[in-house]
Amino acid sequence: MSEQELTLKKMILQATLLSNLEFLKNAMPTIYDAFKSFQPIDTGVAIDDNGNENLFNNGQFAYSENPRDLAKNQVAVFLDNPIYSSYDIKHSSDEHITFKHAALLKSIRNVRNADTGGKIPKPTNESRLDFICFLGGGLGYQIEELLNTKNVLNVFLFEPNPSSFYALLHCIELKPLFDKCMNQGGGFTITVGGDEFSAVNQISALLTKQGHFNLSIIHFFKHYDSELITKTMKSIKEFGHRWHAGWGFFEDETIGVSHTLSNLHAKFPILKTAYSFKNPLKKADVFVVANGPSLDSAIEFLKENQHNVIIISCGTALKALLINNIKPDIHVEMERTAGLSNFVEVVDRTRDITIKLSDLNIVALNTVYDGILKRFKTAYLLTKMNDAGGLLIRRLDKRNKYSYPMYTNPTVTNTGLAVATELGFEKIYLVGTDFGFVSQEYHHSKDSIYFDSNFEHKEVVKDNMQTNMIVKGNFKEEVFTTNIFDSSKSGVELLLQSKPYINAFNTSDGAFIKNTTPKHISDIKIKNKLINKGKKITALLKTASSREQLFDSNINSHIDEVKTKLKVFLEQLLGLTPPNFHTREQLAQAFSEQNKMLLEMQHKDETVFILVQGTFKYFQTYIMASSYYYSDLDKRAEFINSCINAFNEHVNDTYIEFIKYYNKPAKV
């Protein structure tokens, strides 16, 4: 290469950098600020002996061949043998399906599989790829090549090395790629630096913005191997299920509103904000007891020390404690269906238990069936966030008097820990909070309802415990877990992270929990005495709760406002999806418009948003994912329109049920 050609190439590289910085200044100002005066370390772009732009890293060129040719080859390999994730649902057997949404989702699966044989054809054969994650940017030629070869809706680029990304800024023009995605209604997102969790979190944010239906198929394009890229792929596999966890359904929210109204009419007090009262027991040793297998090894300790510690029992751990004559100071429940009664009332049906429900205090989420709460000596409510009933309480709370903790889902362990922290306790031991198991046959305490000879859901529970998921253990190297256990563990970790003043110990022989200290139950020594513990707990619960502002007239006024807005909103949403789609791309556009409306409603009226958002997310994602099974585009269009028609009818039907039953006892 002549000196003149070399000079020209360098000028082009510099011009490309300046063009990209100008683009980033407006489109991605945070990245612009990081790179406007950036000085690379050990890595940069240079012209190699063959006259090609190349990545120069630690004294040598990274690419042994022309980087542009390499990019073309990588794209060809990717299109021929793509790496991707696909969204699917684990359906219950017909006899265990209670809700209409579950029946309809399963019918979509049945039709899809009958039509197609239940296999997805190569998704890169699609005319448009809706979501691609580029892991490692290099010089970016593979991104440019793929977007020139295929229409792409959403791009996520994760480049761990800032110096490498700075080199990329010299080589490809980002604005045309960005515009291609944006002009189709998609997005182009870039994350530079950080750890593997940065990528997972940014993908989650992109899904929220662009619509979770983009989960249907996600492509992963790995440009180069590195320890961090490998960790990122592993984290996506481990934690990607959290992107679609806990959306809820309209039918669930109807039950939650019904139970919330019943509980307010029953005048159960609501826990207040922690700073509005004093807890004289805040330094006491508090044991949050869940129903994991390791509870069995903690029973003797709890029995010996129960008079000098505070015990908060979570859900089905109650029977295991009471059958061993251990009386919890506070019991906690969170499931919304009335069917929870069977799991609670087993206490009164078990002959060897002398302590009754009427001897106990309960704190439950506002969604729990009032018929259960009335069985206890005293009952208190904890407001559930991201819940229509909880948001109703918040609308009534003009003085910000009540507590609104995050991370109370998806299991009762999350609620139990939230109760402990909202009451102001500062030293907490986690017992039976395994969030996993060593043996899939030994998944809960053997003294709990799950191992009763007459327990009718044994096969369902056994099926739910079948898993290949493995996580780091608390005392063992690794343990099995499930999606829901892992999501629950994440909630515990985030709650403790938000309250760094809490000293938390994990005694369970299950999953390792961040922000806790592993501690064998046998190593715990209780030194303090608790005098008149029962009276002090009773006084604390009364001091920590209130019923102010919860007047029936205010409740009815807010409900009427929600009903009016909800009707108009659903008409607008369903107006975007008349069943006359010809392509999957048209469907994606309609779903994108619905998602924008949902996000706008989240800011305008969160109660209306929460009522319907989960149903739309689940059905959008499942219908879109199922459409990929059809290679015959005419049959695909027919399937899409049939699904949309059934979904629209389902939403209308569920709305009518909400209007009829929101203030009536729940049906399930």
Side-chain angles (χ1 to χ4, degrees), residues 396 547-556:
L396 299 169
R547 278 217 19 75
E548 291 182 20
Q549 310 175 85
L550 307 176
F551 304 113
D552 286 349
S553 58
N554 292 343
I555 294 170
N556 294 334

Side-chain angles (χ1 to χ4, degrees), residues 554-619:
N554 292 343
I555 294 170
N556 294 334
S557 174
H558 285 299
I559 285 289
D560 288 343
E561 181 184 359
V562 167
K563 287 192 295 183
T564 301
K565 288 184 178 180
L566 179 61
K567 182 177 186 298
V568 174
F569 186 50
L570 287 177
E571 288 172 350
Q572 293 172 338
L573 283 172
L574 297 183
L576 294 170
T577 52
N580 55 6
F581 295 98
H582 300 290
T583 66
R584 185 184 60 77
E585 289 77 9
Q586 290 176 341
L587 181 67
Q589 181 61 35
F591 284 171
S592 178
E593 293 301 317
Q594 285 180 331
N595 185 64
K596 289 176 185 176
M597 287 184 61
L598 285 162
L599 293 177
E600 289 172 3
M601 182 55 72
Q602 186 175 15
H603 295 291
K604 292 177 181 176
D605 193 315
E606 195 172 3
T607 307
V608 174
F609 166 77
I610 286 293
L611 280 168
V612 300
Q613 58 85 30
T615 287
F616 275 83
K617 286 177 183 175
Y618 274 116
F619 277 93

Side-chain angles (χ1 to χ4, degrees), residues 436-469:
F437 37 83
V438 176
S439 166
Q440 293 175 338
E441 302 299 319
Y442 186 19
H443 42 73
H444 289 87
S445 166
K446 289 183 177 178
D447 283 331
S448 66
I449 190 175
Y450 296 108
F451 292 95
D452 287 355
S453 59
N454 60 349
F455 180 58
E456 61 180 325
H457 302 295
K458 278 187 178 179
E459 291 305 314
V460 176
V461 173
K462 182 179 179 180
D463 186 51
N464 289 340
M465 296 302 142
Q466 302 308 304
T467 178
N468 294 317
M469 284 184 68

Side-chain angles (χ1 to χ4, degrees), residues 406-454:
M406 298 296 291
Y407 315 119
T408 59
N409 274 33
T411 74
V412 69
T413 303
N414 300 96
T415 312
L417 181 60
V419 168
T421 59
E422 292 306 304
L423 286 174
F425 294 113
E426 297 178 355
K427 188 177 182 183
I428 298 174
Y429 295 88
L430 301 177
V431 178
T433 55
D434 294 48
F435 298 122
F437 37 83
V438 176
S439 166
Q440 293 175 338
E441 302 299 319
Y442 186 19
H443 42 73
H444 289 87
S445 166
K446 289 183 177 178
D447 283 331
S448 66
I449 190 175
Y450 296 108
F451 292 95
D452 287 355
S453 59
N454 60 349

Side-chain angles (χ1 to χ4, degrees), residues 267-427:
K267 303 192 183 307
F268 296 129
I270 300 174
L271 292 194
K272 300 186 297 188
T273 55
Y275 61 79
S276 65
F277 63 91
K278 291 184 178 180
N279 179 356
L281 297 170
K282 68 179 183 179
K283 300 296 183 183
D285 297 290
V286 176
F287 286 74
V288 174
V289 181
N291 192 27
S294 62
L295 170 56
D296 292 343
S297 61
I299 288 294
E300 288 306 314
F301 173 90
L302 294 172
K303 189 182 294 186
E304 291 174 10
N305 294 279
Q306 63 176 309
H307 299 297
N308 293 312
V309 302
I310 294 169
I311 298 174
I312 299 176
S313 61
C314 301
T316 53
L318 181 61
K319 175 178 177 281
L321 291 174
L322 295 184
I323 206 167
N324 286 286
N325 207 31
I326 300 168
K327 180 182 178 182
D329 301 288
I330 299 170
H331 181 58
V332 174
E333 292 289 355
M334 57 82 68
E335 296 290 349
R336 76 178 80 218
T337 61
L340 175 64
S341 299
N342 184 53
F343 291 83
V344 176
E345 292 168 0
V346 67
V347 168
D348 289 339
R349 299 194 303 268
T350 303
R351 185 179 303 171
D352 296 332
I353 294 177
T354 57
I355 303 168
K356 301 301 180 185
L357 297 178
S358 57
D359 299 322
L360 305 174
N361 307 303
I362 186 171
V363 178
L365 292 183
N366 53 276
T367 54
V368 172
Y369 174 48
D370 67 308
I372 293 173
L373 302 186
K374 289 173 180 176
R375 300 290 299 269
F376 287 80
K377 180 177 71 173
T378 64
Y380 301 85
L381 304 178
L382 180 69
T383 308
K384 181 182 178 183
M385 292 297 292
N386 300 319
D387 169 79
L391 289 166
L392 172 63
I393 293 173
R394 196 160 198 172
R395 286 170 100 114
L396 299 169
D397 183 16
K398 303 299 184 184
R399 300 175 189 171
N400 294 318
K401 193 176 191 70
Y402 299 114
S403 170
Y404 304 101
M406 298 296 291
Y407 315 119
T408 59
N409 274 33
T411 74
V412 69
T413 303
N414 300 96
T415 312
L417 181 60
V419 168
T421 59
E422 292 306 304
L423 286 174
F425 294 113
E426 297 178 355
K427 188 177 182 183

Side-chain angles (χ1 to χ4, degrees), residues 114-182:
D115 287 348
T116 67
K119 291 185 178 180
I120 301 176
K122 188 188 301 181
T124 45
N125 289 341
E126 295 283 323
S127 62
R128 186 181 75 187
L129 310 183
D130 283 6
F131 195 171
I132 297 183
C133 296
F134 289 97
L135 303 176
L139 296 181
Y141 294 131
Q142 75 283 0
I143 305 171
E144 190 175 62
E145 174 69 16
L146 183 55
L147 268 66
N148 286 336
T149 305
K150 281 279 188 181
N151 287 326
V152 177
L153 185 64
N154 293 295
V155 166
F156 171 74
L157 167 61
F158 175 52
E159 174 48 70
N161 188 325
S163 293
S164 182
F165 180 72
Y166 190 64
L168 178 151
L169 293 178
H170 292 76
C171 296
I172 64 169
E173 291 273 3
L174 290 175
K175 188 176 186 304
L177 306 179
F178 179 87
D179 288 345
K180 280 185 179 181
C181 294
M182 294 298 290

Side-chain angles (χ1 to χ4, degrees), residues 38-46 54-62 139 161-167:
F38 185 78
Q39 295 297 318
I41 301 172
D42 296 331
T43 299
V45 64
N54 207 322
L55 196 63
F56 197 69
N57 177 250
N58 291 322
Q60 62 183 14
F61 288 108
L139 296 181
N161 188 325
S163 293
S164 182
F165 180 72
Y166 190 64

